[in-house]
Amino acid sequence: MAAARTTQTSPFLLSLVSISLLLLQAISVVDCNKDQDSNDATDFIRTNCNATLYPDVCYSSLSRYANTIQQSPAKLARVAVAVSLSRARRIAAYITNLSRQPNSAAFDTETAAVLKDCSSTFGDAIDQMRRSNTEMIHLDLTSHSQESLRFQMSNVQTWMSAALTNEDTCTDEFGDLPDESVKSDVCERVVYGRKLTSNALAMVNRFVAATEADAPATTP
């Protein structure tokens, strides 16, 4: 009668299994950390957006940039300004195309004139946002003095406020016109862009407040 055969696991195979398990555990930890970082970033964005006038618009427009923003008030303000500028450029292009069309049944002469004025006003808003965006891009928190930082951020606040006013002016010009498809379409786009600008200004103001809070106290 044949003796029962016994099998032994090679020490080499045991080592391979152990290494594989360790690698899987390490990958799981990395993945969990990534998920946690992403959750922390989106929570940070949502918390800041809740302090704006248009929190839903704020979160939906900025949450996709969570990996870039992380939990940085400076990056949050910078991205918010860039998003506002990008949308404003798209709106301006749309208005400009409408204003350059010959008069037709789509809109009358008065509406065409308002579109032209709105296009010019939006051009000013875009210029102000562009300046703000450039200032935010070149913001160096590691080397600038507190006075220099205050000056830069004061410029951004002024320009973003002016851009918001120009967007308001654009929609106000449609006030006396009869309701029609062109008016409602343009106003809907401009109002959404205005919400982005308002949110961006709020993020800039929150960043300024955070910077002031972290600034070292000066002795008299």
mmCIF file of all heavy atoms in Angstrom, residues 20 31-33 40 44 56 67-69 82 91 98 103 108 111 117 141 147 162 175-176 189 194 209:
data_model
loop_
_atom_site.group_PDB
_atom_site.id
_atom_site.type_symbol
_atom_site.label_atom_id
_atom_site.label_comp_id
_atom_site.label_asym_id
_atom_site.label_seq_id
_atom_site.Cartn_x
_atom_site.Cartn_y
_atom_site.Cartn_z
ATOM 1 N N SER A 20 3.344 39.938 -1.644
ATOM 2 C CA SER A 20 2.142 40.329 -2.380
ATOM 3 C C SER A 20 1.102 40.931 -1.443
ATOM 4 O O SER A 20 0.457 41.924 -1.770
ATOM 5 C CB SER A 20 1.550 39.116 -3.102
ATOM 6 O OG SER A 20 2.469 38.610 -4.051
ATOM 7 N N ASP A 31 -4.695 54.249 -1.813
ATOM 8 C CA ASP A 31 -5.999 54.557 -2.386
ATOM 9 C C ASP A 31 -6.902 55.224 -1.353
ATOM 10 O O ASP A 31 -7.621 56.170 -1.660
ATOM 11 C CB ASP A 31 -6.654 53.279 -2.912
ATOM 12 C CG ASP A 31 -5.981 52.784 -4.182
ATOM 13 O OD1 ASP A 31 -5.269 53.571 -4.830
ATOM 14 O OD2 ASP A 31 -6.179 51.609 -4.512
ATOM 15 N N CYS A 32 -6.868 54.723 -0.127
ATOM 16 C CA CYS A 32 -7.694 55.315 0.924
ATOM 17 C C CYS A 32 -7.264 56.745 1.203
ATOM 18 O O CYS A 32 -8.094 57.627 1.423
ATOM 19 C CB CYS A 32 -7.599 54.490 2.202
ATOM 20 S SG CYS A 32 -8.482 52.901 2.098
ATOM 21 N N ASN A 33 -5.944 56.982 1.193
ATOM 22 C CA ASN A 33 -5.447 58.329 1.423
ATOM 23 C C ASN A 33 -5.900 59.273 0.328
ATOM 24 O O ASN A 33 -6.255 60.420 0.574
ATOM 25 C CB ASN A 33 -3.921 58.331 1.518
ATOM 26 C CG ASN A 33 -3.431 57.715 2.818
ATOM 27 O OD1 ASN A 33 -4.178 57.652 3.789
ATOM 28 N ND2 ASN A 33 -2.200 57.258 2.827
ATOM 29 N N ASP A 40 -11.648 65.554 1.680
ATOM 30 C CA ASP A 40 -11.294 66.741 2.446
ATOM 31 C C ASP A 40 -11.358 67.988 1.564
ATOM 32 O O ASP A 40 -11.815 69.047 2.004
ATOM 33 C CB ASP A 40 -9.894 66.601 3.047
ATOM 34 C CG ASP A 40 -9.844 65.571 4.175
ATOM 35 O OD1 ASP A 40 -10.921 65.213 4.689
ATOM 36 O OD2 ASP A 40 -8.736 65.129 4.511
ATOM 37 N N PHE A 44 -13.912 71.074 1.906
ATOM 38 C CA PHE A 44 -13.367 72.427 2.039
ATOM 39 C C PHE A 44 -14.063 73.380 1.061
ATOM 40 O O PHE A 44 -14.444 74.499 1.437
ATOM 41 C CB PHE A 44 -11.863 72.395 1.772
ATOM 42 C CG PHE A 44 -11.214 73.748 1.684
ATOM 43 C CD1 PHE A 44 -10.959 74.486 2.833
ATOM 44 C CD2 PHE A 44 -10.853 74.277 0.457
ATOM 45 C CE1 PHE A 44 -10.354 75.737 2.753
ATOM 46 C CE2 PHE A 44 -10.252 75.528 0.369
ATOM 47 C CZ PHE A 44 -10.000 76.252 1.522
ATOM 48 N N ASP A 56 -24.908 76.666 -4.455
ATOM 49 C CA ASP A 56 -25.034 75.536 -5.381
ATOM 50 C C ASP A 56 -24.224 75.771 -6.649
ATOM 51 O O ASP A 56 -23.525 74.873 -7.141
ATOM 52 C CB ASP A 56 -26.505 75.290 -5.726
ATOM 53 C CG ASP A 56 -27.302 74.775 -4.538
ATOM 54 O OD1 ASP A 56 -26.679 74.230 -3.597
ATOM 55 O OD2 ASP A 56 -28.543 74.924 -4.539
ATOM 56 N N ASN A 67 -8.829 68.561 -6.810
ATOM 57 C CA ASN A 67 -7.443 68.104 -6.742
ATOM 58 C C ASN A 67 -6.457 69.253 -6.838
ATOM 59 O O ASN A 67 -5.351 69.179 -6.286
ATOM 60 C CB ASN A 67 -7.162 67.092 -7.864
ATOM 61 C CG ASN A 67 -7.851 65.760 -7.622
ATOM 62 O OD1 ASN A 67 -8.163 65.409 -6.489
ATOM 63 N ND2 ASN A 67 -8.100 65.014 -8.695
ATOM 64 N N THR A 68 -6.841 70.297 -7.552
ATOM 65 C CA THR A 68 -5.982 71.476 -7.669
ATOM 66 C C THR A 68 -6.091 72.364 -6.440
ATOM 67 O O THR A 68 -5.095 72.864 -5.917
ATOM 68 C CB THR A 68 -6.358 72.293 -8.919
ATOM 69 O OG1 THR A 68 -6.162 71.490 -10.086
ATOM 70 C CG2 THR A 68 -5.529 73.563 -9.021
ATOM 71 N N ILE A 69 -7.305 72.541 -5.963
ATOM 72 C CA ILE A 69 -7.559 73.449 -4.844
ATOM 73 C C ILE A 69 -7.073 72.882 -3.528
ATOM 74 O O ILE A 69 -6.497 73.600 -2.697
ATOM 75 C CB ILE A 69 -9.060 73.777 -4.766
ATOM 76 C CG1 ILE A 69 -9.499 74.565 -6.012
ATOM 77 C CG2 ILE A 69 -9.386 74.559 -3.504
ATOM 78 C CD1 ILE A 69 -11.000 74.716 -6.139
ATOM 79 N N ALA A 82 -10.537 82.391 -12.163
ATOM 80 C CA ALA A 82 -10.292 81.842 -13.499
ATOM 81 C C ALA A 82 -11.567 81.272 -14.113
ATOM 82 O O ALA A 82 -11.824 81.448 -15.315
ATOM 83 C CB ALA A 82 -9.215 80.756 -13.432
ATOM 84 N N ILE A 91 -19.615 84.104 -22.652
ATOM 85 C CA ILE A 91 -20.827 84.920 -22.738
ATOM 86 C C ILE A 91 -20.595 86.103 -23.668
ATOM 87 O O ILE A 91 -21.451 86.441 -24.498
ATOM 88 C CB ILE A 91 -21.242 85.413 -21.344
ATOM 89 C CG1 ILE A 91 -21.621 84.224 -20.451
ATOM 90 C CG2 ILE A 91 -22.411 86.397 -21.434
ATOM 91 C CD1 ILE A 91 -21.826 84.589 -18.994
ATOM 92 N N LEU A 98 -24.265 87.936 -31.615
ATOM 93 C CA LEU A 98 -25.628 88.419 -31.803
ATOM 94 C C LEU A 98 -25.641 89.878 -32.248
ATOM 95 O O LEU A 98 -26.409 90.264 -33.127
ATOM 96 C CB LEU A 98 -26.425 88.288 -30.495
ATOM 97 C CG LEU A 98 -26.921 86.894 -30.106
ATOM 98 C CD1 LEU A 98 -27.664 86.959 -28.771
ATOM 99 C CD2 LEU A 98 -27.831 86.312 -31.181
ATOM 100 N N ASN A 103 -30.149 93.235 -38.555
ATOM 101 C CA ASN A 103 -31.482 93.213 -37.948
ATOM 102 C C ASN A 103 -32.374 92.217 -38.664
ATOM 103 O O ASN A 103 -32.392 92.126 -39.885
ATOM 104 C CB ASN A 103 -32.120 94.601 -38.017
ATOM 105 C CG ASN A 103 -31.390 95.581 -37.117
ATOM 106 O OD1 ASN A 103 -30.717 95.179 -36.177
ATOM 107 N ND2 ASN A 103 -31.515 96.858 -37.422
ATOM 108 N N ASP A 108 -35.348 93.574 -32.691
ATOM 109 C CA ASP A 108 -35.511 94.852 -33.377
ATOM 110 C C ASP A 108 -34.270 95.722 -33.208
ATOM 111 O O ASP A 108 -33.275 95.325 -32.605
ATOM 112 C CB ASP A 108 -36.758 95.573 -32.869
ATOM 113 C CG ASP A 108 -36.724 95.754 -31.357
ATOM 114 O OD1 ASP A 108 -35.612 95.762 -30.786
ATOM 115 O OD2 ASP A 108 -37.803 95.881 -30.752
ATOM 116 N N THR A 111 -33.214 96.447 -29.570
ATOM 117 C CA THR A 111 -32.556 95.302 -28.951
ATOM 118 C C THR A 111 -31.144 95.148 -29.466
ATOM 119 O O THR A 111 -30.212 94.832 -28.706
ATOM 120 C CB THR A 111 -33.355 94.011 -29.218
ATOM 121 O OG1 THR A 111 -34.677 94.173 -28.730
ATOM 122 C CG2 THR A 111 -32.704 92.816 -28.546
ATOM 123 N N ASP A 117 -24.232 97.553 -26.722
ATOM 124 C CA ASP A 117 -23.769 98.178 -25.481
ATOM 125 C C ASP A 117 -23.358 97.117 -24.458
ATOM 126 O O ASP A 117 -22.351 97.267 -23.753
ATOM 127 C CB ASP A 117 -24.870 99.056 -24.890
ATOM 128 C CG ASP A 117 -25.107 100.320 -25.709
ATOM 129 O OD1 ASP A 117 -24.232 100.660 -26.530
ATOM 130 O OD2 ASP A 117 -26.171 100.937 -25.540
ATOM 131 N N LEU A 141 3.001 83.877 -2.064
ATOM 132 C CA LEU A 141 2.786 84.036 -0.633
ATOM 133 C C LEU A 141 4.056 83.811 0.177
ATOM 134 O O LEU A 141 4.109 84.167 1.352
ATOM 135 C CB LEU A 141 1.707 83.052 -0.156
ATOM 136 C CG LEU A 141 0.353 83.176 -0.851
ATOM 137 C CD1 LEU A 141 -0.596 82.105 -0.328
ATOM 138 C CD2 LEU A 141 -0.239 84.548 -0.645
ATOM 139 N N GLU A 147 2.620 94.060 3.162
ATOM 140 C CA GLU A 147 2.126 95.259 2.492
ATOM 141 C C GLU A 147 1.912 95.010 1.013
ATOM 142 O O GLU A 147 0.916 95.458 0.422
ATOM 143 C CB GLU A 147 3.115 96.415 2.688
ATOM 144 C CG GLU A 147 3.195 96.955 4.101
ATOM 145 C CD GLU A 147 3.971 96.037 5.040
ATOM 146 O OE1 GLU A 147 4.650 95.118 4.537
ATOM 147 O OE2 GLU A 147 3.875 96.231 6.262
ATOM 148 N N ALA A 162 -15.684 95.744 -9.773
ATOM 149 C CA ALA A 162 -16.021 96.505 -10.976
ATOM 150 C C ALA A 162 -16.596 95.586 -12.056
ATOM 151 O O ALA A 162 -17.543 95.959 -12.766
ATOM 152 C CB ALA A 162 -14.782 97.227 -11.500
ATOM 153 N N GLY A 175 -33.810 95.934 -19.255
ATOM 154 C CA GLY A 175 -34.993 96.092 -18.431
ATOM 155 C C GLY A 175 -36.201 96.657 -19.146
ATOM 156 O O GLY A 175 -37.335 96.222 -18.915
ATOM 157 N N ASP A 176 -36.000 97.650 -20.015
ATOM 158 C CA ASP A 176 -37.126 98.319 -20.674
ATOM 159 C C ASP A 176 -37.539 97.654 -21.986
ATOM 160 O O ASP A 176 -38.487 98.109 -22.642
ATOM 161 C CB ASP A 176 -36.778 99.785 -20.950
ATOM 162 C CG ASP A 176 -36.555 100.566 -19.666
ATOM 163 O OD1 ASP A 176 -37.178 100.186 -18.648
ATOM 164 O OD2 ASP A 176 -35.765 101.525 -19.677
ATOM 165 N N ARG A 189 -27.853 83.877 -19.502
ATOM 166 C CA ARG A 189 -26.412 83.621 -19.549
ATOM 167 C C ARG A 189 -25.645 84.613 -18.680
ATOM 168 O O ARG A 189 -24.723 84.233 -17.939
ATOM 169 C CB ARG A 189 -25.918 83.702 -20.999
ATOM 170 C CG ARG A 189 -26.457 82.606 -21.905
ATOM 171 C CD ARG A 189 -26.165 82.922 -23.365
ATOM 172 N NE ARG A 189 -26.789 81.972 -24.265
ATOM 173 C CZ ARG A 189 -26.196 80.913 -24.793
ATOM 174 N NH1 ARG A 189 -24.929 80.674 -24.522
ATOM 175 N NH2 ARG A 189 -26.838 80.098 -25.607
ATOM 176 N N ARG A 194 -22.775 86.314 -13.774
ATOM 177 C CA ARG A 194 -22.707 87.226 -12.633
ATOM 178 C C ARG A 194 -22.620 86.444 -11.323
ATOM 179 O O ARG A 194 -21.916 86.864 -10.397
ATOM 180 C CB ARG A 194 -23.939 88.133 -12.618
ATOM 181 C CG ARG A 194 -23.914 89.176 -11.522
ATOM 182 C CD ARG A 194 -25.270 89.807 -11.304
ATOM 183 N NE ARG A 194 -25.241 90.744 -10.193
ATOM 184 C CZ ARG A 194 -25.189 90.388 -8.914
ATOM 185 N NH1 ARG A 194 -25.187 89.092 -8.580
ATOM 186 N NH2 ARG A 194 -25.146 91.297 -7.954
ATOM 187 N N ALA A 209 -9.415 87.821 4.197
ATOM 188 C CA ALA A 209 -9.712 87.743 5.629
ATOM 189 C C ALA A 209 -8.801 86.714 6.318
ATOM 190 O O ALA A 209 -8.304 86.951 7.420
ATOM 191 C CB ALA A 209 -11.180 87.396 5.840
#
